[in-house]
Amino acid sequence: MEPLRVVTGIVAPLNRPNVDTDQIVPKQFLKRIERTGYGPAAFYDWRYLEDGSDNPEFVLNKPAYRGASILVTGKNFGCGSSREHAPWALLEYGFRVIIAPSFADIFNNNCLQNGILTITLPEEQVQELIRLAEEQPGMKLTVDLEQQEIRGDGIQIPFEVDEFKRFRLLNGLDDIGLTLQHEDAIAAYEQRRPEYLTYGK
Amino acid sequence: MAPKTMFEKIWDAHVVYEEPGKPTLIYVDLHLTHEVTSPQAFEGLRLAGRRVRRPDLTIATVDHAIPTWSRDLPVTDPIAATQLATLAANAREFGITFYDIRSPHQGIVHVIGPQLGYTQPGKVIVCGDSHTSTHGAFGAFALGIGTSEVEHVLATQTLPMMKPKTMEVRVEGTLPPGVTAKDIILGIIGRIGTAGGTGYVIEYTGEAIRSLSMEGRMTVCNMSIEAGARAGMIAPDETTFAYLRGRPHAPQGADFEKAVAAWRTLPSDPGAVYDRTVVIRADELEPYVTWGTNPGMVAPISGRVPQLDEFEPGPDRQSAERALEYMGLKPGTPIREIPIDRVFIGSCTNSRIEDLRAAAAIVRGHKVNPKVRAMVVPGSTGVKLQAEAEGLDQIFLDAGFEWREAGCSMCLGMNPDILAPGERCASTSNRNFEGRQGKGGRTHLVSPQMAAAAALAGHFVDVRELTKER
Ligand code: SF4
């Protein structure tokens, strides 16, 4: 996983609440056995027309938003299934930072596992960013995880992020490696595991 | 000692390691895997030269992508076939019990776990599938995880987690006739919203919950995730113990009695404090039908498709507007007048034997409306065999339903069972998202009884009136 310290990039606005993981990656793309190749599937049903060409109506297809690395969107983003294909697709599409009033739990975890920074801001602030990104297509922002601050032309917004999440993203640390440092504790737990949990096979 | 909630007891009993400010390492008692969310996890293990720490606590089956037509036919979709072969190879390589497509124990993970007795009170259960919350019906802490976490559990048998908050959802009083477990949970989501449970583990309590069968409790816990919750749970009691006794992977003989004694200590202590409590009166619940594109967009069968001005201006109204457009519905339309093209009885929410019995009781001696194509997909091969032994398959077939092999099927349409654009379906599954059952398909979530009744009538009907008339 790539460390994430400072991201400067185009801000793409997706002004919808409750964008679910079926929208982020429809199921027909879940049959692959690899972790890669999902970028073209991101927002598939909204993004393409019947004939497979780009849907000019879909906001992320507007030329000014091409190459965006920061997504600003509505509340409860990523609700629905546990498919990690959703953050895989968003990452491959180019997003490293997602800003929303709230995120679904499993999706939020999955983003962290893949080096995507999710930032929760109050609804009004998010709406303001969406408005700016819509009015000035191609607008860039800098998201600074070290300083915990979003910066841009006349914009300076501090954000909160869990200390351990920040540490992991800054260092690009893989969870399994961290946990295996506690292998002794796991073995010790296996010795004291409540007996009733070990009956039955 | 301070009184504890059931969740806190289970959490405390599973702490492997903790350090202030960091996620707690929690031990996992049961890890269920399936073909869609596991290949990349096994691949990760292989690349890192890691093994599965506890193959004895891990089981695998195929459910999501498999066809549900005859098991004698080959899987024709080459990509799905690769996924199935990959899981089989991974199970062999890492020494995991695998119920393959021809096993009598095959089925949707959340149906076979309980059915085979793997799911037990007090356990921490995970699976790379959001509806893992189903298993909480037994008084377990069961949660869905992503593929990186699947890999983590395979390698370490633990999961780092921030402790979620607790929410009690108390359903007081007795359930009116015709109102099912599905209606309880749709009613709850309609009230608290699809993000109402975010960050919480919900414990369902109250008389109406206590009176549910295990199947009904599983239906309620199954859809906890649709309220955004990390997990849902219900305290184990005599109903739970009776269900588990004698199941192949449940404790046997004297161990069973010892286990029951331990399970009895799990329910929340009197005076235990939840971070939030929601109280719902059972007698205010009705059979529900969703009208929109998330499970919180729900109306009683006696109601109407809402008017836009019933929503706050802003994101909620926009979202309702989009939903109505997608669903092809006019505000104010009585729910009963919504015609349907398809009926799907199945999914980990409502495909257990009791669900099929309830639907068959409505269908018996009647015919599916000629405009409707209806299908029943049992949740597991075990459920299918039992239903056939009880003659339920014949009731459905005589009425004109298709009777399928077990799998997820049209719940998510990863196999060939999908809706055509614009088709409208009464479905017993759990998600009515845009395109969930096929691009452009329109899903209305209902109970098995309501789905069965809609199949006969060709539009939604109030099952309460149906049972009165007959
Ligand atoms: S039946 Fe539907 S919700 Fe349940 S596990 Fe299968 S796809 Fe997921």
Side-chain angles (χ1 to χ4, degrees):
Chain A
M1 158 177 151
E2 294 252 325
L4 183 148
R5 293 173 172 274
V6 180
V7 176
T8 299
I10 295 174
V11 182
L14 184 63
N15 192 13
R16 296 181 188 185
N18 302 312
V19 172
D20 59 73
T21 52
D22 281 72
Q23 254 53 68
I24 302 173
V25 182
K27 67 249 165 187
Q28 63 268 36
F29 300 102
L30 307 188
K31 290 179 196 161
R32 301 169 56 83
I33 56 170
E34 298 86 14
R35 264 175 196 267
T36 51
Y38 301 95
F43 302 114
Y44 192 85
D45 288 351
W46 292 339
R47 184 168 157 198
Y48 302 106
L49 295 172
E50 281 309 324
D51 64 2
S53 63
D54 285 358
N55 176 0
E57 294 298 303
F58 182 53
V59 56
L60 299 191
N61 284 340
K62 306 236 151 84
Y65 300 122
R66 298 278 161 143
S69 53
I70 301 168
L71 181 68
V72 192
T73 187
K75 67 180 176 187
N76 200 24
F77 188 77
C79 59
S81 100
S82 65
R83 61 188 68 160
E84 201 159 312
H85 312 69
W88 294 337
L90 293 172
L91 192 62
E92 221 173 288
Y93 189 95
F95 293 120
R96 291 301 307 273
V97 178
I98 308 175
I99 303 171
S102 61
F103 294 90
D105 284 334
I106 304 180
F107 175 81
N108 210 353
N109 269 342
N110 285 342
C111 283
L112 174 58
Q113 303 288 348
N114 290 281
I116 298 176
L117 170 62
T118 50
I119 300 176
T120 309
L121 290 180
E123 181 87 51
E124 310 78 68
Q125 266 176 347
V126 172
Q127 283 302 326
E128 178 65 12
L129 287 175
I130 289 177
R131 193 180 61 78
L132 288 172
E134 284 176 348
E135 284 173 2
Q136 310 163 35
M139 172 185 91
K140 286 191 173 179
L141 284 178
T142 293
V143 174
D144 186 335
L145 179 57
E146 284 181 328
Q147 305 295 323
Q148 297 185 217
E149 196 176 73
I150 301 170
R151 288 187 299 267
D153 207 5
I155 298 171
Q156 194 180 17
I157 303 172
F159 62 87
E160 296 282 326
V161 48
D162 170 75
E163 194 40 48
F164 187 60
K165 168 172 164 178
R166 178 166 170 269
F167 166 78
R168 283 189 46 199
L169 285 169
L170 286 174
N171 296 289
L173 283 178
D174 147 359
D175 246 354
I176 300 183
L178 285 173
T179 296
L180 286 176
Q181 294 172 359
H182 303 298
E183 223 173 340
D184 292 351
I186 300 173
Y189 177 84
E190 283 173 336
Q191 295 306 314
R192 67 168 192 273
R193 199 168 158 228
E195 202 187 331
Y196 75 93
L197 292 170
T198 66
Y199 301 146
K201 339 171 269 311
Chain B
M1 250 189 346
K4 284 192 199 177
T5 62
M6 174 164 63
F7 168 71
E8 286 161 337
K9 294 182 194 182
I10 298 176
W11 176 274
D12 290 351
H14 288 82
V15 173
V16 169
Y17 179 82
E18 56 189 341
E19 215 178 300
K22 290 193 181 173
T24 303
L25 211 51
I26 291 293
Y27 200 77
V28 172
D29 299 299
L30 175 63
H31 185 189
L32 306 161
T33 61
H34 63 83
E35 76 274 25
V36 175
T37 54
S38 70
Q40 296 86 357
F42 284 111
E43 185 61 20
L45 285 189
R46 242 186 319 266
L47 289 175
R50 289 171 178 144
R51 64 192 173 88
V52 174
R53 184 177 180 93
R54 294 297 299 267
D56 57 325
L57 303 182
T58 311
I59 64 169
T61 193
V62 287
D63 53 7
H64 280 68
I66 56 171
T68 58
W69 50 54
S70 165
R71 289 282 135 96
D72 299 330
L73 297 173
V75 178
T76 47
D77 174 347
I79 318 180
T82 306
Q83 240 175 13
L84 302 186
T86 305
L87 184 56
N90 284 330
R92 215 176 311 119
E93 179 180 342
F94 292 99
I96 295 165
T97 301
F98 176 48
Y99 300 116
D100 80 358
I101 190 164
R102 285 179 220 292
S103 163
H105 296 321
Q106 173 272 342
I108 304 174
V109 277
H110 312 312
V111 176
I112 66 167
Q115 199 179 346
L116 297 175
Y118 286 111
T119 302
Q120 293 163 25
K123 282 190 175 180
V124 171
I125 301 175
V126 302
C127 173
D129 185 280
S130 56
H131 293 97
T132 310
S133 57
T134 311
H135 307 262
F138 290 78
F141 174 38
L143 70 160
I145 57 177
T147 296
S148 294
E149 291 172 310
V150 169
E151 184 179 336
H152 188 281
V153 176
L154 290 172
T156 69
Q157 203 57 33
T158 64
L159 197 62
M161 254 187 284
M162 288 298 191
K163 192 173 181 178
K165 293 176 285 183
T166 54
M167 182 191 300
E168 178 189 25
V169 175
R170 193 159 69 228
V171 188
E172 286 178 343
T174 36
L175 222 47
V179 179
T180 67
K182 182 66 161 281
D183 303 306
I184 296 184
I185 189 65
L186 286 175
I188 291 172
I189 299 168
R191 272 156 228 234
I192 70 174
T194 53
T198 303
Y200 291 93
V201 167
I202 297 179
E203 183 180 342
Y204 302 93
T205 65
E207 193 188 336
I209 298 291
R210 289 261 71 82
S211 67
L212 293 175
S213 66
M214 286 318 296
E215 281 87 350
R217 294 178 189 186
M218 285 188 252
T219 301
V220 171
C221 287
N222 172 276
M223 288 189 69
S224 303
I225 182 72
E226 305 320 326
R230 205 73 185 90
M233 46 171 60
I234 293 173
D237 59 12
E238 299 309 319
T239 308
T240 320
F241 310 147
Y243 179 97
L244 282 172
R245 188 184 294 275
R247 304 229 166 223
H249 294 274
Q252 307 292 325
D255 281 351
F256 188 79
E257 304 313 322
K258 278 197 271 175
V260 168
W263 295 342
R264 285 190 200 285
T265 66
L266 291 170
S268 297
D269 298 325
V273 181
Y274 299 87
D275 295 303
R276 187 181 162 198
T277 294
V278 173
V279 180
I280 288 175
R281 285 185 40 195
D283 60 6
E284 289 175 357
L285 297 173
E286 287 189 54
Y288 291 101
V289 179
T290 62
W291 53 264
T293 50
N294 74 52
M297 295 173 162
V298 43
I301 179 67
S302 60
R304 291 168 182 271
V305 175
Q307 302 287 348
L308 287 176
D309 59 14
E310 293 171 33
F311 299 89
E312 294 274 317
D316 288 337
R317 187 177 297 179
Q318 284 163 16
S319 159
E321 201 171 345
R322 251 193 85 79
L324 289 179
E325 187 190 318
Y326 179 86
M327 293 296 289
L329 291 174
K330 272 210 230 33
T333 309
I335 298 289
R336 295 180 151 87
E337 286 174 16
I338 301 175
I340 54 157
D341 311 300
R342 303 281 297 264
V343 168
F344 171 64
I345 298 180
S347 91
C348 58
T349 312
N350 281 127
S351 64
R352 298 180 185 81
I353 190 69
E354 188 178 271
D355 300 314
L356 303 193
R357 285 183 195 139
I362 304 267
V363 167
R364 187 191 302 271
H366 297 268
K367 291 272 183 232
V368 169
N369 184 292
K371 293 187 323 233
V372 175
R373 184 174 158 204
M375 64 198 280
V376 182
V377 184
S380 70
T381 303
V383 167
K384 176 170 188 270
L385 295 174
Q386 187 177 351
E388 287 172 355
E390 295 179 14
L392 304 183
D393 58 328
Q394 216 43 60
I395 295 174
F396 287 117
L397 286 167
D398 288 348
F401 276 85
E402 293 171 35
W403 177 252
R404 295 297 194 89
E405 298 289 340
C408 295
S409 178
M410 215 163 70
C411 173
L412 89 166
M414 265 187 81
N415 76 351
D417 307 329
I418 54 169
L419 296 180
E423 271 191 321
R424 191 181 291 289
C425 180
S427 177
T428 67
S429 56
N430 43 51
R431 288 196 175 132
N432 49 349
F433 296 156
E434 282 183 27
R436 170 81 177 180
Q437 295 190 295
K439 189 173 179 184
R442 295 161 172 165
T443 304
H444 296 271
L445 304 176
V446 287
S447 72
Q449 288 89 325
M450 288 285 289
L456 307 179
H459 56 84
F460 291 109
V461 286
D462 190 335
V463 278
R464 294 171 298 186
E465 285 163 21
L466 208 66
T467 27
K468 249 187 266 159
E469 276 167 28
R470 288 196 187 161

